[in-house]
Amino acid sequence: MVGSIEVCSNGAVSHNGGLEEKLDEFRRILGKSDGDLLRIVGVGAGAWGSVFAALLQDSYGRFRDKVQIRIWRRGGRTVDRATAEHLFEVINSREDVLRRLIRRCAYLKYVEARLGDRILYADEILKDGFCLNMVDTPLCPMKVVTNLQEAVWDADIVINGLPSTETREVFEEIRNYWKERISPPIIISLSKGIEAALDPVPHIITPTQMISRATGVPKENILYLGGPNIASEIYNKEYANARICGAEKWRISLAKFLRQPHFIVWDNSDLVTHEVMGGLKNVYAIGAGMVASLTNESATSKSVYFAHCTSEMIFITHLLTEEPEKLAGPLLADTYVTLLKGRNAWYGQMIAKGELSLDMGDSISGKGMIQGVSAVGAFFELLSQSSLSVLHPNEKKPVAPVELCPILKTLYKILIKREQDSRAILEALRDERLNDPRERIEIAQSHAFYKPSLLGQP
């Protein structure tokens, strides 16, 4: 097949040779016959979930006789007047978007909403390519479904774009719609965060574990995808990479299917480390935002914070996994970009500036769920259990693991207990008793603290 050149919905020119061959190859792997659509559905329409579905739509949506790509979000969510007015400005600043809406007879409703004569809903603007959490970045038009059963019952691939705090509830509902399935779907989770469980022993529950327990889908069919990705930048064709992690059965073929010229996907077997790091980076990104704000973007202060928080991340992953993937390459880059520009870092900045209050909760209009807040509570609760005690390297006595994580402790006091304000994060960094981060890393790499029970293993 001769490659074609097309203009994408974001205005970029794309050389699309070979896409149909990749689609056909993946269909063959799944055993799809002619006329049997490959059905892909995104569950959850936050920024990353919407962009991920839009990337697939841009690449494969034209092959309508071979693939169907849809996204589910709850119906009934209204767009407030301020957002409607801003959305109107975005539309009129982009000639390609304006022309598209006029051609689809969809422009008038945005005019009426700006004037206050009409209420817009999140699901209807998503159909036009606007994610409520990211209206400044228009996406391609999407096929949106608000009925969960209709969306998932016959899906071959389900993309979990839900926050970790909503994953269990939604997939428990999905289980009811899959009771008569002959073969399980493939599930790709984009969710970052964990839950802590204390019975029968303290352990974490990651989003992929939540999905497996909620649905009964075999673990080999559930994968995690993450990387140094800012959703809006990826859709605007900024070069990026990611890893899809899980069992070999699907990850290699999925990596090839998902790979694009500007979005390189590699495969990796270490699902646990990548998924836990996905939750941890959001925890420490909030603190990074606070440090940036409180020090007027001091590069020195931010680098000191980076050294200490990454050492805590390494320590925590070595508690969970005997031989975790090293915090290097894409894993380190993912942490770096999240601390630099993610929504959790933005949240930390706004809290430190006093422009947001903790009383406003962790679901912020225009940003979505700030997943790092609940993750702070979960990791602290888990690592403060005395039954997991480790030997303190200096004091030579048993302590809860959290005692070796002063930044995590401070974030808990700020965000969850509300005993201190954001300036406490700087006090924690400037504590003269703070050890060299290298010592924490050496302790972690000694394997002396590995706790397999934290993953629910005997």
Side-chain angles (χ1 to χ4, degrees), residues 391-449:
L391 187 66
H392 194 287
N394 295 335
E395 299 176 10
K396 304 301 180 183
K397 66 178 183 179
V399 296
V402 77
E403 295 302 321
L404 298 180
C405 302
I407 294 177
L408 177 60
K409 283 181 63 179
T410 303
L411 288 170
Y412 181 79
K413 291 176 182 178
I414 296 171
L415 298 169
I416 308 301
K417 298 294 288 184
R418 305 187 184 184
E419 296 174 348
Q420 298 176 318
D421 65 25
S422 56
R423 289 172 294 183
I425 199 73
L426 293 183
E427 295 172 10
L429 287 181
R430 295 166 179 169
D431 188 341
E432 294 181 0
R433 297 167 297 174
L434 209 58
N435 290 345
D436 186 330
R438 176 183 58 82
E439 296 180 19
R440 189 180 294 107
I441 294 173
E442 289 178 347
I443 292 168
Q445 293 174 341
S446 72
H447 306 293
F449 293 165

Side-chain angles (χ1 to χ4, degrees), residues 218-230:
K219 292 181 181 179
E220 65 182 10
N221 276 45
I222 306 175
L223 303 98
Y224 167 76
L225 185 139
N229 307 319
I230 301 297

Side-chain angles (χ1 to χ4, degrees), residues 243-264:
R243 282 174 169 171
I244 188 160
C245 307
E248 187 175 353
K249 178 180 179 181
W250 294 117
R251 71 171 193 265
I252 296 173
S253 55
L254 278 169
K256 185 174 182 181
F257 177 68
L258 297 172
R259 188 175 297 132
Q260 300 185 22
H262 70 286
F263 184 59
I264 306 303

Side-chain angles (χ1 to χ4, degrees), residues 33-282:
S33 58
D34 291 344
D36 185 9
L37 289 175
L38 170 62
R39 302 180 190 276
I40 303 174
V41 63
V43 174
W48 186 209
S50 296
V51 164
F52 195 80
L55 290 175
L56 292 173
Q57 178 65 29
D58 274 340
S59 294
Y60 298 113
R62 74 203 69 178
F63 307 116
R64 297 176 183 175
D65 59 334
K66 297 181 179 183
V67 64
Q68 178 191 70
I69 301 163
R70 302 189 295 174
I71 187 167
W72 171 85
R73 72 154 297 138
R74 294 181 179 90
R77 173 75 180 274
T78 58
V79 178
D80 63 55
R81 177 77 179 274
T83 302
E85 291 176 352
H86 181 59
L87 186 52
F88 184 77
E89 294 174 0
V90 171
I91 291 168
N92 284 280
S93 69
R94 289 279 300 267
E95 185 178 351
D96 57 327
V97 176
L98 177 61
R99 288 180 179 275
R100 186 183 78 201
L101 291 174
I102 292 173
R103 188 171 61 248
R104 291 164 57 94
C105 301
Y107 179 64
L108 182 59
K109 64 187 176 188
Y110 294 99
V111 177
E112 294 172 339
R114 179 186 179 277
L115 297 172
D117 296 334
R118 190 187 194 284
I119 294 176
L120 293 172
Y121 291 89
D123 57 287
E124 71 171 325
I125 68 171
L126 186 59
K127 292 177 183 178
D128 293 327
F130 300 106
C131 169
L132 187 59
N133 295 343
M134 196 178 62
V135 295
D136 287 314
T137 304
L139 309 175
C140 62
M142 310 276 277
K143 296 181 177 69
V144 181
V145 184
T146 57
N147 182 296
L148 186 58
Q149 181 176 6
E150 178 188 346
V152 304
W153 74 275
D154 61 349
D156 299 297
I157 300 176
V158 175
I159 301 157
N160 175 35
L162 296 163
S164 58
T165 49
E166 298 179 22
T167 293
R168 181 194 304 279
E169 177 186 355
V170 173
F171 276 87
E172 284 178 347
E173 181 179 348
I174 289 174
R175 174 183 57 198
N176 298 323
Y177 310 137
W178 285 348
K179 289 180 178 178
E180 298 181 6
R181 286 189 69 121
I182 297 173
S183 58
I186 299 168
I187 301 173
I188 302 171
S189 181
L190 311 177
S191 183
K192 301 171 180 69
I194 70 158
E195 287 183 357
L198 304 182
D199 294 320
V201 294
H203 62 283
I204 68 166
I205 307 172
T206 65
T208 59
Q209 291 173 326
M210 295 177 202
I211 293 168
S212 178
R213 295 176 187 182
T215 62
V217 171
K219 292 181 181 179
E220 65 182 10
N221 276 45
I222 306 175
L223 303 98
Y224 167 76
L225 185 139
N229 307 319
I230 301 297
S232 60
E233 293 183 356
I234 290 175
Y235 195 73
N236 287 328
K237 305 296 182 184
E238 296 288 342
Y239 178 81
N241 54 60
R243 282 174 169 171
I244 188 160
C245 307
E248 187 175 353
K249 178 180 179 181
W250 294 117
R251 71 171 193 265
I252 296 173
S253 55
L254 278 169
K256 185 174 182 181
F257 177 68
L258 297 172
R259 188 175 297 132
Q260 300 185 22
H262 70 286
F263 184 59
I264 306 303
V265 180
W266 299 304
D267 71 280
N268 191 282
S269 62
D270 190 353
L271 184 150
V272 171
T273 301
H274 285 79
E275 201 169 14
V276 170
M277 281 293 192
L280 280 172
K281 67 174 187 175
N282 289 335

